[in-house]
């Protein structure tokens, strides 16, 4: 969970960088706590004015990684590597808890003094990747943007189809999950691309000692520049329970 918080803060820092480069954008507050006496009741991600949007917005952001687990096609079947993290719960929390905060008396008092009487429009932006099972057909998920960022997932111990998906692979540290992977041609061997057999051996060794999911990116050669990402796969422990209350037999 500490890693998840760090990734969330990193995503918010990327938003702040974007606002700073966007002509006409004005950030009135970022990471602003909402307090009731000494108790913190919540936090505003951003209070911001943006070109093309009227007035002042309360913007809540999220960047998440969910694995879709059939059967069923609703958001409750999309869970994080930690199965307690579910897409439907995240969206409901944004809609029912985070966004109403700027419309509440307590939230209004936390705003900068110049904005306390200003109408504030709550908005949510939930971004990230949805990973589909590598060994199954994809049912239509009508509530998803058709061009959503996507990848695949599989359990450890399942024969990998690595060579079918990409000629080279790299394991991604958590801070590298957001942007498409790129490995420069001069990268040292230890951090450079792995061939499919080396990747499988690396994953087998990892899951002997750990149940922590690993995210890997498939790479294709980019001329003399290096390697760029063409796909990504989450590999979870063999007994990962996914969206079901008990792990597979």
């Amino acid at each position: 969970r500490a890693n998840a918080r760090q990734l969330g803060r990193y995503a918010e820092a990327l938003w702040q960088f974007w606002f700073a480069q966007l002509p006409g954008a004005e950030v009135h507050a970022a990471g602003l706590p909402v307090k009731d006496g000494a108790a913190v009741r919540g936090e505003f991600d951003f209070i911001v004015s943006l070109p093309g949007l009227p007035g002042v917005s309360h913007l809540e952001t999220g960047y998440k990684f969910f694995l879709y687990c059939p059967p069923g096609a609703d958001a409750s079947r999309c869970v994080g590597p930690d199965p307690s993290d579910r897409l439907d719960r995240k969206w409901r929390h944004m809609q029912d808890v985070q966004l109403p905060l700027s419309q509440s008396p307590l939230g209004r008092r936390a705003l900068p003094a110049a904005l306390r009487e200003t109408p504030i429009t709550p908005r949510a932006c939930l971004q990230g990747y949805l990973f589909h099972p590598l060994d199954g057909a994809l049912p239509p998920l009508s509530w998803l943007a058709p061009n959503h960022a996507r990848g695949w997932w599989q359990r450890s111990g399942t024969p990998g189809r690595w060579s079918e998906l990409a000629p080279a692979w790299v394991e991604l540290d958590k801070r590298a999950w957001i942007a498409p992977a790129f490995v420069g041609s001069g990268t040292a061997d230890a951090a450079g691309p792995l061939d499919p057999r080396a990747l499988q051996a690396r994953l087998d060794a990892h899951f002997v000692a750990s149940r922590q999911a690993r995210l890997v990116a498939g790479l294709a050669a980019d001329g003399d520049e290096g390697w760029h990402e063409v796909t990504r796969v989450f590999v979870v422990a063999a007994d990962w329970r996914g969206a079901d209350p008990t792990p597979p037999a």
Side-chain angles (χ1 to χ4, degrees), residues 8-228:
R9 293 302 186 193
Y10 178 55
E12 289 174 8
L14 294 176
W15 274 98
Q16 294 204 53
F17 176 81
W18 180 67
F19 292 145
Q21 309 306 310
L22 181 64
E26 181 180 1
V27 178
H28 305 286
L32 180 65
V34 177
K35 295 182 178 180
D36 184 4
V40 177
R41 301 301 184 190
E43 180 182 285
F44 295 128
D45 281 354
F46 298 102
I47 304 297
V48 62
S49 298
L50 295 174
L53 294 177
V56 179
S57 296
H58 161 210
L59 177 63
E60 288 295 325
T61 63
Y63 206 102
K64 306 292 285 184
F65 299 81
F66 291 111
L67 285 62
Y68 166 60
C69 302
D74 61 276
S76 68
R77 304 299 300 180
C78 300
V79 301
D82 174 357
S84 64
D85 191 15
R86 267 181 20 193
L87 175 54
D88 61 322
R89 291 173 179 165
K90 174 60 179 175
W91 185 246
R92 190 163 58 244
H93 181 74
M94 294 180 83
Q95 294 288 322
D96 296 347
V97 178
Q98 293 175 284
L99 293 182
L101 200 57
S102 59
Q103 311 304 305
S104 69
L106 188 65
R108 301 293 299 191
R109 290 197 296 271
L111 293 170
L115 296 178
R116 288 175 189 165
E117 303 302 323
T118 301
I120 306 288
T121 302
R123 305 180 191 275
C125 183
L126 181 57
Q127 299 171 293
Y129 277 80
L130 185 67
F131 295 82
H132 299 267
L134 187 55
D135 58 355
L138 302 182
L141 303 177
S142 58
W143 42 270
L144 270 178
N147 61 341
H148 70 277
R150 69 186 69 201
W152 306 98
W153 73 267
Q154 72 169 43
R155 299 181 190 278
S156 65
T158 303
R161 292 166 46 190
W162 309 117
S163 59
E164 297 176 33
L165 296 173
W169 293 84
V170 65
E171 294 183 277
L172 298 179
D173 292 331
K174 197 147 193 177
R175 283 283 291 267
W177 284 11
I178 292 178
F182 178 81
V183 179
S185 57
T187 303
D189 290 345
L194 302 168
D195 65 39
R197 291 181 64 183
L199 173 69
Q200 186 65 63
R202 182 82 62 89
L203 291 171
D204 289 346
H206 168 78
F207 283 104
V208 167
S210 174
R211 298 183 66 257
Q212 185 175 11
R214 297 296 292 160
L215 180 57
V216 298
L219 307 172
D222 195 5
D224 295 331
E225 299 293 323
W227 300 80
H228 69 273

